[in-house]
Amino acid sequence: MGKIDYRSIYEENHNGWRKMTDNPGKYEALLAGHYSDNNHFIYELIQNAEDAGAACVVFEYYDDKICFYHDGNPFDEADVIGVSSMLETTKADDAQTIGKFGMGFKSVFKYTCEPEIYTDEEAFRIKNYLLPEEIQTDWDYKYEMCKGLKYSLNGEIYVPFNQSEHLTKVVLPFQKREKTGAVHRIDGSDIVLKLKELEPEILLFLKHIKSLFWIDVSKKKYERFVLIDQDDSNLKVCQLKGNAV
């Protein structure tokens, strides 16, 4: 995959939406505030992974951030434009994909002012809602798939991506930027409540995702949903593994 031209996308969005990107706090109600459910982004991330053809997704909740992983196709330049745009079509052939408009991803700005995306050998953050900026990082997706993302669950070692070809990580630091430009930490603990509300049956309505795992890292409590395909193509069974959270 060729190198993504983040600077070109940054400049185009900055020039096209200068007032908004120069003063993002003023437009938060437009960009993120139209989501009445603060945790709408959880479903957007799952749908994003589904659109990318992911088989497995993982949420890691920390006191200061949440990390989301999936093994679907990595971001290309059109995807970067999609999540960094306003009302711009990037996947005209499929109106159902998250890349159709960049608005769905904007729901993450309820909890962060600079989401970060690491996808195979690419890494970038989105500043001021619309401005992608490359991140210089030692992120090694192959190491993470085989050795980094490993969990001990009641004596069972779970390595969710050790058979995967790709890995994408979305990091949402719990922080907001005031109109003055100052950044302060915010509380994201209510996200755990939304994760608790996720039911295994959600997998029945997805074509690609077969396994969903989430963990509250601070408390080392987890849930793991596994979709089991039976011989009967019309029958799907979800299995829940985990400890009570």
Side-chain angles (χ1 to χ4, degrees):
M1 181 171 57
K3 192 67 176 175
I4 294 173
D5 189 352
Y6 297 101
R7 192 63 198 174
S8 176
I9 303 171
Y10 184 107
E11 293 295 340
E12 182 174 350
N13 286 357
H14 190 202
N15 291 332
W17 301 90
R18 186 170 294 275
K19 286 187 177 180
M20 187 176 293
T21 53
D22 283 348
N23 189 5
K26 183 179 179 179
Y27 295 93
E28 181 175 0
L30 171 63
L31 289 163
H34 61 288
Y35 292 100
S36 57
D37 181 354
N38 283 357
N39 299 289
H40 181 84
F41 77 92
I42 290 176
Y43 300 102
E44 290 290 345
L45 292 176
I46 293 173
Q47 186 61 53
N48 177 263
E50 172 71 9
D51 294 341
C56 177
V57 298
V58 171
F59 287 92
E60 289 183 341
Y61 172 83
Y62 298 83
D63 290 335
D64 62 343
K65 65 184 176 184
I66 188 166
C67 297
F68 174 72
Y69 299 86
H70 73 75
D71 60 354
N73 294 324
F75 275 58
D76 58 19
E77 189 154 317
D79 295 318
V80 176
I81 293 172
V83 298
S84 306
S85 70
M86 282 282 291
L87 304 177
E88 182 168 349
T89 302
T90 60
K91 296 182 180 178
D93 294 336
D94 188 355
Q96 299 304 312
T97 64
I98 198 171
K100 174 67 176 178
F101 297 109
M103 293 304 293
F105 188 79
K106 298 299 182 292
S107 58
V108 306
F109 289 102
K110 282 283 189 178
Y111 287 96
T112 190
C113 59
E114 286 192 8
E116 300 174 358
I117 298 175
Y118 303 78
T119 178
D120 280 8
E121 296 177 352
E122 298 283 347
F124 66 101
R125 65 173 59 88
I126 301 176
K127 302 179 67 174
N128 295 6
Y129 299 111
L130 302 173
L131 307 179
E133 180 179 79
E134 185 175 11
I135 296 175
Q136 300 299 324
T137 176
D138 58 358
W139 154 262
D140 183 343
Y141 77 99
K142 293 182 179 179
Y143 172 83
E144 294 296 334
M145 286 191 299
C146 297
K147 297 182 179 180
L149 294 171
K150 183 184 300 184
Y151 308 93
S152 178
L153 311 179
N154 292 341
E156 175 188 357
I157 300 299
Y158 177 45
V159 187
F161 301 111
N162 63 338
Q163 300 297 319
S164 302
E165 295 183 10
H166 306 288
L167 185 64
T168 291
K169 175 173 72 168
V170 179
V171 182
L172 307 179
F174 298 144
Q175 57 186 26
K176 300 288 283 184
R177 179 174 285 106
E178 301 174 357
K179 292 182 179 181
T180 61
V183 175
H184 65 277
R185 180 175 168 177
I186 62 172
D187 181 23
S189 59
D190 58 325
I191 293 174
V192 175
L193 300 178
K194 180 58 65 175
L195 290 172
K196 288 180 182 179
E197 293 173 0
L198 287 175
E199 297 289 345
E201 287 74 18
I202 190 175
L203 299 181
L204 295 175
F205 301 96
L206 301 174
K207 179 180 180 181
H208 300 291
I209 297 175
K210 305 301 181 186
S211 178
L212 187 155
F213 170 76
W214 72 266
I215 182 169
D216 181 344
V217 177
S218 62
K219 296 182 173 58
K220 296 183 179 179
K221 294 186 177 181
Y222 69 92
E223 295 282 0
R224 178 186 175 191
F225 309 150
V226 181
L227 178 62
I228 302 176
D229 284 313
Q230 303 296 321
D231 293 336
D232 184 349
S233 61
N234 296 317
L235 176 64
K236 291 183 178 180
V237 178
C238 285
Q239 182 183 50
L240 171 63
K241 296 181 179 180
N243 54 299
V245 180

